[in-house]
């Protein structure tokens, strides 16, 4: 520790700290623009100049290391005069357009100009003008306002991992620009809007829609991924206008993914369902709540009496709140059925009987930073978990070795020590081979399941990397949970973790991927899981926030099952997709219009309140399910608040319910003959709200899916990249553009799921046929 004095006050700081660090620690504000605690030091704005005793001139606080006995003056005449001089230079070319600037009212330049700017400019020359740049559908530019702090450039290089913006030119001819003809397409791009200290980079969807002083600020939690990012939702006249990050170092730090930031547009979609709808004689008609709920109750009673309670099934998405999932399973069981499941994209449930608890991350999110060896298996990491990928990106810079076992070789924008790219059903065998090689390196017994594994060079290199560390972690992604042999893959990871003495866990697909287990929204011993409920069609279905053709592992199977059903009730926020197969549509509130709870991938419970009133006749989902339970005569449905439902759902020790251990899986999926499908769910197709966010759907990541395959496979089909191919699977087909990717396994075809263009196909990781269209 070093002792120094700032403005006459003594403080101790760790060696290597800067004056800015010391000032922040003691609560002394030093004006700045280019400095940001999460970015590297640039020291190019010079606004943080301070006086240091015995120094010949003012020094930048952000870039000056502390020395023992140093005396710093942040508000002396010398320091203030230097800061005022810098401000005068910054304002020479800055336009006087604060009244029409979206940054007005929350602009650092505006704030500091009040304290350090002059009453009038001494410069009479014409100001420079910089033409605006097209950075895509999310970021709007007014580059004449830019003060060249380079925060956006450094963010791209250091946090997002890709340099999409740079600075060209010198002096007053300097410009921030993208590469010629390119837009900013990072899944974290919206953070540059927060970082920009002026109005040069602003939100294109929010542009000119409200002023900051007109907005109410309300806390919330993101429903989109397993992280549970903390949000600050800004509201004007009962409408969500903007979403910003709410800082939480243990979860999302100060960042947001674009999916969390811009998905609010889907909340205001024209497809919103605002009144109950009932289908009569094939035509939809509006209804009041009482009539609609009485119809639902009577039909469920009728089907239960005629066909038995097991003829009723309930399907939910993990984006639903804990309260909704808890009451859905309680209602389903209350009428005598055990058929309830929220794991719609899973296909292998063979380990359910031997599961010891709710699968979770296996560690705190913040503990990922401290791992020195990491194996990520079966994960489209960058797109499925952008902020966890960002944590791993920073860890690899500090020396962490990252190893990948996956079916695709996507660019993760970080250093990868070793990787094995294999077919989806071969990932489990690769993990067992790594376990065998690791056991040999460490001189311990080879796990029984791994004794016959064939150890490849890639497996041996990954094993050597993992065995050389002291704090290893194994993370299983969405593919690992959705593949046909997910249980075997889970067991292989468990065996490898035991050999290494490492922690292992799951990167949750959605906000309540853990909460669904805690709520009990999984079938009992006599119940049918999500796949069985569709493979053996039920007479009635309760759908909670589910659009089965986009949310299920096998959409073709799901549509056939629902078409055969006598009665389908859809509880959701949108009417456009479920109208094809539902008999009753009940409008329930999305996360911004209801109170609720999400249990994130680390098992952290995060509750939130609604930020705007429900749209039209929309009602909170937990209230609808409570009333339905009362109409059906189910006991225990006397809750008066969502907090009461939450407390009932969380009864007992939550930590004790989190356990990744499983016994022997009941069965293993056989590798498909011929070609195997690899299905990722595109980042902006993962849930109903995101799918209706217009700006996100105009981005590069939301482009129509293609059929990706190795060049050798394209040649064998007689198809050139860019040509059309017909894909056939489980009686369904789709015609897509073919594209070449020689990093894919030779016998695999990558076709995205969760998209209308591929909704007619079958299982996400099943056999698939391809022919020239």
């Amino acid at each position: 520790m070093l002792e120094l004095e700032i403005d006459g006050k003594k403080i101790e700081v760790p060696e290597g700290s800067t004056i800015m660090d010391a000032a922040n620690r003691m609560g002394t504000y030093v004006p700045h623009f280019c400095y940001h605690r999460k970015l590297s030091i640039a020291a190019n704005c010079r606004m943080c100049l301070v006086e240091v005793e015995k120094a010949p001139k003012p020094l930048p606080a952000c870039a000056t290391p502390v020395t023992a006995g140093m005396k710093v003056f942040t508000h002396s005449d010398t320091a203030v005069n230097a800061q005022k001089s810098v401000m005068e230079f910054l304002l020479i070319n800055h336009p006087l357009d604060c009244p029409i600037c979206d940054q007005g009212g929350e602009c650092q330049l505006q704030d500091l100009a009040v304290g350090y700017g002059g009453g009038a400019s001494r410069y009479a020359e014409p100001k420079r003008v910089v033409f605006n740049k097209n950075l895509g559908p999310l970021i709007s530019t007014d580059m004449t306002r830019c003060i060249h702090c380079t925060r956006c450039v450094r963010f791209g290089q250091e946090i997002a991992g890709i340099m999409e913006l740079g600075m060209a030119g010198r002096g007053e001819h300097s410009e921030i620009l993208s590469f010629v003809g390119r837009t900013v397409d990072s899944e974290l791009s919206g953070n540059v809007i927060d970082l920009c200290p002026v109005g040069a980079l602003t939100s294109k969807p929010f542009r000119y829609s409200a002023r900051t002083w007109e907005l109410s600020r309300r806390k919330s939690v993101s429903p989109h991924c397993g992280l549970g990012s903390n949000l600050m939702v800004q509201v004007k006249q009962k409408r969500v206008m903007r979403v910003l990050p709410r800082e939480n170092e243990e979860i999302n730090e100060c960042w947001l993914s674009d999916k969390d930031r811009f998905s609010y547009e889907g909340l205001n979609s024209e497809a919103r369902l605002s009144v109950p709808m009932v289908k009569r004689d094939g035509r939809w008609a509006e209804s009041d709540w009482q009539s609609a709920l009485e119809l639902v109750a009577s039909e469920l009673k009728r089907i239960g009496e005629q066909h038995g309670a097991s003829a009723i099934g309930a399907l939910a998405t993990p984006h639903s709140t804990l309260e909704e999932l808890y009451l859905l399973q309680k209602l389903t069981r209350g009428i005598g059925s055990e058929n309830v499941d929220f794991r719609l994209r899973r296909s292998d449930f063979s380990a359910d009987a031997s599961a010891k608890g709710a699968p979770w991350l296996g560690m705190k999110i913040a503990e990922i930073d401290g791992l020195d060896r990491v194996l990520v298996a079966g994960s489209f990491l960058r797109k499925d978990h952008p902020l966890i990928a960002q944590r791993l990106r920073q860890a690899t810079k500090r020396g962490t070795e990252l190893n990948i076992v996956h079916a695709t070789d996507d660019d993760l924008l970080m250093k990868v020590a070793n990787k094995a790219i294999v077919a989806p059903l071969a990932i489990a065998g690769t993990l067992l081979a790594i376990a065998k090689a690791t056991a040999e390196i460490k001189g311990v017994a080879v796990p029984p399941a791994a004794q016959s594994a064939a150890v490849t060079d890639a497996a041996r290199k990954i094993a050597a990397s993992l065995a050389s560390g002291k704090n290893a972690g194994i993370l299983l992604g969405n593919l690992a949970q959705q593949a046909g042999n997910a249980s075997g893959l889970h067991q292989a990871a468990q065996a490898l973790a035991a050999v290494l003495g490492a922690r292992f866990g799951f990167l949750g697909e959605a906000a309540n991927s853990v909460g669904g287990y805690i709520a009990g929204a999984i079938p009992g011993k006599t119940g049918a899981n999500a796949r069985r409920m569709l493979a053996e069609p039920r007479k009635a279905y309760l759908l909670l926030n589910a659009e089965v053709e986009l949310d299920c592992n096998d959409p073709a199977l799901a549509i056939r099952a629902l078409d055969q059903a006598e009665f389908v009730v859809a509880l959701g926020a949108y009417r456009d997709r479920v109208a094809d197969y539902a008999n009753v549509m009940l409008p329930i509130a999305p996360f911004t219009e209801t109170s609720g709870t999400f249990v994130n991938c680390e098992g952290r419970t995060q509750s939130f309140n609604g930020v705007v009133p429900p749209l039209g006749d929309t009602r909170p989902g937990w209230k609808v399910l409570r009333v339905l339970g009362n109409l059906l005569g189910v006991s225990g449905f006397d809750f008066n608040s969502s907090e009461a439902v939450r407390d009932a759902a969380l009864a007992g020790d939550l930590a004790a319910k989190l356990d990744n251990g499983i016994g022997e899986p009941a069965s293993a999926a056989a590798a498909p003959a011929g070609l195997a499908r690899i299905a990722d769910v595109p980042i902006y197709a993962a849930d109903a709200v995101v799918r209706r966010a217009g700006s996100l759907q105009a981005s590069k990541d939301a482009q129509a899916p293609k059929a990706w395959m190795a060049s050798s496979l394209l040649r064998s089909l007689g198809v050139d990249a860019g040509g059309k191919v017909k894909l056939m699977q489980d009686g369904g087909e789709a015609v897509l553009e073919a594209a070449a990717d020689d990093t894919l396994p030779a016998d695999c075809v990558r076709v995205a799921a969760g998209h209308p263009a591929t909704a007619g196909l079958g299982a996400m990781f099943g056999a698939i046929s391809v022919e020239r269209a």
Side-chain angles (χ1 to χ4, degrees):
M1 303 293 287
L2 300 176
E3 186 181 90
L4 73 155
E5 191 178 287
I6 298 180
D7 295 333
K9 299 177 183 178
K10 291 186 177 180
I11 185 173
E12 285 191 345
V13 294
E15 187 174 357
S17 300
T18 63
I19 294 174
M20 184 72 82
D21 297 331
N24 288 339
R25 177 173 286 208
M26 68 185 302
T28 298
Y29 179 73
V30 178
H32 60 272
F33 292 114
C34 68
Y35 169 79
H36 190 280
R37 62 187 180 84
K38 292 285 185 180
L39 302 176
S40 62
I41 300 299
N44 56 4
C45 78
R46 316 307 285 183
M47 192 65 210
C48 65
L49 291 175
V50 294
E51 182 183 359
V52 178
E53 187 180 61
K54 297 181 182 178
K57 59 183 180 180
L59 300 176
C62 67
T64 304
V66 166
T67 59
M70 176 184 275
K71 290 187 178 182
V72 179
F73 304 95
T74 65
H75 294 97
S76 66
D77 289 343
T78 301
V80 172
N81 287 335
Q83 292 159 358
K84 286 185 175 181
S85 297
V86 170
M87 177 59 70
E88 185 175 19
F89 280 119
L90 290 175
L91 292 177
I92 287 173
N93 281 310
H94 198 80
L96 297 174
D97 62 351
C98 296
I100 64 157
C101 177
D102 259 3
Q103 195 86 347
E106 52 186 4
C107 174
Q108 280 181 262
L109 184 67
Q110 202 175 45
D111 293 342
L112 293 179
V114 173
Y116 300 91
S121 175
R122 292 186 286 169
Y123 289 83
E125 293 80 10
K127 294 177 180 280
R128 72 162 193 168
V129 174
V130 181
F131 291 111
N132 292 331
K133 315 295 187 293
N134 176 24
L135 300 186
L138 304 178
I139 303 171
S140 180
T141 62
D142 283 283
M143 301 312 293
T144 302
R145 300 172 184 156
C146 179
I147 60 170
H148 308 130
C149 70
T150 68
R151 281 185 178 184
C152 56
V153 177
R154 285 175 285 144
F155 172 83
Q157 291 175 296
E158 299 164 17
I159 307 298
I162 180 170
M163 187 175 179
E164 295 182 291
L165 294 172
M167 188 160 74
R170 298 189 60 152
E172 73 165 12
H173 300 293
S174 299
E175 289 188 42
I176 299 291
L177 39 79
S178 61
F179 291 98
V180 178
R182 300 280 292 275
T183 55
V184 174
D185 300 314
S186 165
E187 61 279 0
L188 301 174
S189 67
N191 290 290
V192 301
I193 298 168
D194 298 335
L195 288 171
C196 185
V198 295
L201 303 176
T202 55
S203 169
K204 191 171 281 189
F206 176 72
R207 188 172 174 83
Y208 299 145
S209 61
R211 306 312 305 250
T212 181
W213 53 84
E214 299 176 308
L215 301 172
S216 302
R217 290 156 177 78
R218 291 158 189 173
K219 299 175 181 178
S220 192
V221 179
S222 170
H224 301 303
C225 73
L227 202 69
S229 296
N230 288 198
L231 311 178
M232 189 63 71
V233 181
Q234 299 190 336
V235 175
K236 177 186 177 184
Q237 297 175 351
K238 302 179 181 179
R239 183 183 175 98
V240 175
M241 304 301 291
R242 184 167 63 167
V243 171
L244 298 177
R246 180 160 56 93
E247 191 166 333
N248 188 331
E249 280 297 310
E250 296 180 331
I251 299 178
N252 56 298
E253 302 175 72
C254 59
W255 313 120
L256 273 189
S257 69
D258 288 352
K259 179 161 67 171
D260 294 333
R261 182 184 298 271
F262 296 107
S263 65
Y264 71 88
E265 285 188 299
L267 301 169
N268 305 318
S269 166
E270 293 181 358
R272 279 293 301 272
L273 177 66
S274 59
V275 293
M277 304 283 286
V278 175
K279 187 183 285 185
R280 295 188 175 95
D281 300 323
R283 302 187 68 176
W284 285 104
E286 294 184 1
S287 173
D288 61 87
W289 272 104
Q290 186 69 24
S291 301
L293 289 173
E294 286 177 353
L295 172 63
V296 171
S298 65
E299 283 296 298
L300 292 178
K301 284 180 181 177
R302 177 187 67 79
I303 289 171
E305 291 168 357
Q306 290 183 0
H307 305 285
S310 63
I312 301 171
L315 299 169
T317 70
H319 301 91
S320 308
T321 67
L322 179 77
E323 292 81 356
E324 291 166 351
L325 292 168
Y326 176 74
L327 290 181
L328 179 69
Q329 65 85 18
K330 189 175 176 67
L331 173 69
T332 307
R333 291 185 163 93
I335 59 178
S337 174
E338 288 286 336
N339 305 329
V340 58
D341 208 343
F342 75 101
R343 303 164 296 175
L344 303 189
R345 290 198 174 110
R346 289 201 68 162
S347 61
D348 180 10
F349 299 88
S350 58
D352 279 7
S354 64
K356 296 178 181 178
W360 66 300
L361 188 62
M363 66 191 86
K364 295 291 185 184
I365 293 167
E367 290 175 354
I368 292 175
D369 302 352
L371 299 175
D372 60 4
R373 299 291 184 273
V374 179
L375 172 63
V376 178
S379 177
F380 302 96
L381 184 63
R382 252 185 72 200
K383 302 301 182 182
D384 286 347
H385 308 98
L387 291 177
I388 288 181
Q390 188 277 134
R391 282 188 182 270
L392 288 171
R393 189 172 295 121
Q394 306 313 312
T396 57
K397 292 179 183 177
R398 296 189 294 267
T400 297
E401 289 187 10
L402 174 65
N403 301 277
I404 301 294
V405 179
H406 193 35
T408 68
D409 192 13
D410 296 340
D411 187 357
L412 300 181
L413 304 178
M414 67 184 89
K415 183 178 180 181
V416 176
N418 305 285
K419 54 191 172 188
I421 307 302
V422 297
L425 291 181
I427 293 176
T430 303
L431 293 181
L432 290 175
I434 295 169
K436 182 177 181 180
T438 305
E440 292 170 353
I441 292 169
K442 295 177 75 72
V444 299
V446 176
Q451 289 178 354
S452 60
V455 180
T456 62
D457 287 343
R460 194 168 281 109
K461 289 178 181 177
I462 294 173
S465 171
L466 294 173
S468 65
K470 296 180 180 179
N471 187 12
I474 301 168
L475 304 175
L476 302 181
N478 291 358
L479 183 151
Q481 299 165 72
Q482 296 161 357
N485 65 338
S487 300
L489 203 155
H490 184 166
Q491 192 188 32
Q494 180 176 264
L496 174 57
V499 171
L500 278 170
R503 289 177 289 181
F504 87 100
F506 295 86
L507 302 170
E509 173 191 354
N512 262 329
S513 292
V514 174
Y517 287 93
I518 303 302
I522 53 176
K525 291 183 179 179
T526 60
N529 56 52
R531 182 171 180 81
R532 188 177 155 205
M533 269 189 259
L534 299 172
E536 301 170 9
R538 310 287 133 170
K539 298 296 182 181
Y541 289 95
L542 279 167
L543 305 180
L544 178 61
N545 292 315
E547 298 172 334
V548 297
E549 72 278 23
L550 302 178
D551 290 325
C552 288
N553 183 283
D554 191 331
L557 184 70
I559 290 297
R560 285 199 298 269
L562 267 68
D563 285 344
Q564 295 175 42
E566 293 181 15
F567 191 66
V568 177
V569 186
L571 291 83
Y574 302 96
R575 64 176 184 269
D576 50 342
R577 300 194 190 282
V578 297
D580 294 336
Y581 44 77
N583 300 95
V584 176
M585 295 188 292
L586 302 178
I588 65 170
F591 76 105
T592 51
E593 299 171 19
T594 183
S595 55
T597 303
F598 295 135
V599 182
N600 74 356
C601 60
E602 70 170 23
R604 181 188 295 249
T605 300
Q606 298 188 104
S607 295
F608 55 91
N609 293 313
V611 300
V612 292
L615 179 70
D617 272 348
T618 298
R619 297 288 183 268
W622 71 269
K623 286 188 176 181
V624 175
L625 291 165
R626 182 199 62 188
V627 174
L628 196 53
N630 292 332
L631 290 174
L632 287 165
V634 180
S635 62
F637 273 72
D638 52 355
F639 301 104
N640 292 319
S641 67
S642 64
E643 289 78 12
V645 183
R646 177 197 64 199
D647 294 344
L650 294 174
D653 183 1
L654 174 59
K657 298 176 183 178
L658 305 175
D659 195 330
N660 289 318
I662 60 168
E664 292 284 340
S667 61
L675 299 177
R677 180 182 176 186
I678 301 171
D680 59 314
V681 178
I683 184 171
Y684 303 136
D687 63 80
V689 177
V690 173
R691 288 193 281 261
R692 292 169 176 84
S695 296
L696 291 178
Q697 296 308 316
S699 68
K700 185 177 179 181
D701 277 325
Q703 290 178 351
K706 298 179 181 180
W708 295 88
M709 59 196 92
S711 298
S712 57
L713 182 54
L714 282 173
R715 286 194 297 272
S716 69
L717 295 170
V719 178
D720 294 326
K724 297 290 186 180
V725 291
K726 183 165 75 170
L727 308 164
M728 294 160 289
Q729 193 181 17
D730 195 22
E733 60 182 50
V735 176
L736 301 180
E737 180 183 328
D741 182 355
D742 287 323
T743 66
L744 290 172
D747 56 351
C748 292
V749 182
R750 181 176 181 176
V751 182
H755 193 282
T758 59
L761 298 175
M764 291 173 66
F765 297 95
I768 191 168
S769 300
V770 185
E771 63 182 42
R772 185 174 179 175

